[in-house]
Amino acid sequence: EDYNESILPKVIQVLTEAEPTCSIHVYSQPSVMLRNWLDEGKIDAAILTRAPNSEEGHWLASDQGVWIANQDFDVELSKPIPLALFQTDCKYHAAALDGLIKNGQSYQLLACCDTASAQRAIVRSGMAIGAMGKLSVTSDLRILANMPPLPSVDIVLVSGPETHPLLDNDCLKSLLSAITPV
């Protein structure tokens, strides 16, 4: 769900240009679940956050983790810092907590969210700050400076055990050029 607004429309556009009559079913689930569905043959392909030190899938983009807040949130006035983060299996979750602990900053984990939209909604309301990939940040939120660094991740397209015929080399090249800015 993290990349529904930034990458998914470009993927769908390339696929429908390659096969105008195709029908695409979109499931917004964590990468771990989508990997399981790929292995089980329940889906043909998935946009995933690649596991560290992995070469899986076809690289689409890299994304840098950032801290986000609503326009009026003041971190200095909020002690402990209220957090709305992704679930514990997300790289940003662990890195955010680890960074705050290393900096000696107290925090309260207000919410663990399984979707970017839930996290953004809580942050947008001013109840907490969050950590997510820069590609998932909407224009109504601001990126915070002077916070602990967050990791970067690779976003990839992964096919199931039986590669869908639509996902041939020409389609993958078109997809990469549609997503990568020139």
Side-chain angles (χ1 to χ4, degrees), residues 35 50-57 154 156:
R35 275 187 192 88
R50 181 161 48 196
N53 303 317
S54 172
E55 295 297 321
E56 79 175 325
D154 285 334
V156 296

Side-chain angles (χ1 to χ4, degrees), residues 5-180:
E5 294 181 40
S6 57
I7 293 179
L8 180 63
K10 295 172 184 175
V11 171
I12 291 176
Q13 180 180 4
V14 168
L15 293 175
T16 57
E17 285 173 359
E19 180 52 60
T21 61
C22 72
S23 177
I24 300 165
H25 296 260
V26 176
Y27 301 95
S28 296
Q29 299 293 331
S31 292
V32 171
M33 182 174 290
L34 292 173
R35 275 187 192 88
N36 290 338
W37 288 4
L38 284 166
D39 292 343
E40 296 167 6
K42 291 182 178 179
I43 56 176
D44 294 317
I47 300 168
L48 305 174
T49 301
R50 181 161 48 196
N53 303 317
S54 172
E55 295 297 321
E56 79 175 325
H58 302 278
W59 181 87
L60 299 175
S62 291
D63 198 9
Q64 178 61 50
V66 294
W67 291 89
I68 58 171
N70 84 359
Q71 300 299 331
D72 301 320
F73 193 91
D74 188 343
V75 175
E76 297 302 317
L77 297 177
S78 300
K79 303 295 180 201
I81 298 171
L83 299 176
L85 300 174
F86 287 122
Q87 298 291 348
T88 57
D89 60 353
C90 174
K91 278 180 81 169
Y92 299 134
H93 180 107
L97 297 183
D98 187 52
L100 292 173
I101 290 168
K102 285 179 180 174
N103 284 356
Q105 294 174 292
S106 61
Y107 65 87
Q108 175 199 356
L109 185 54
L110 178 69
C112 281
C113 307
D114 67 352
T115 65
S117 58
Q119 184 186 36
R120 284 191 303 261
I122 294 166
V123 169
R124 188 176 298 115
S125 75
M127 291 188 287
I129 65 171
M132 64 174 37
K134 190 173 185 178
L135 289 173
S136 299
V137 179
T138 53
S139 62
D140 58 336
L141 298 173
R142 69 185 169 97
I143 295 174
L144 297 172
N146 302 318
M147 294 295 289
L150 295 171
S152 62
V153 298
D154 285 334
I155 303 152
V156 296
L157 179 69
V158 178
S159 297
E162 299 292 322
T163 301
H164 192 282
L166 190 54
L167 298 174
D168 62 14
N169 285 336
D170 289 338
C171 183
L172 292 170
K173 286 178 190 174
S174 295
L175 185 55
L176 187 57
S177 65
I179 292 174
T180 307

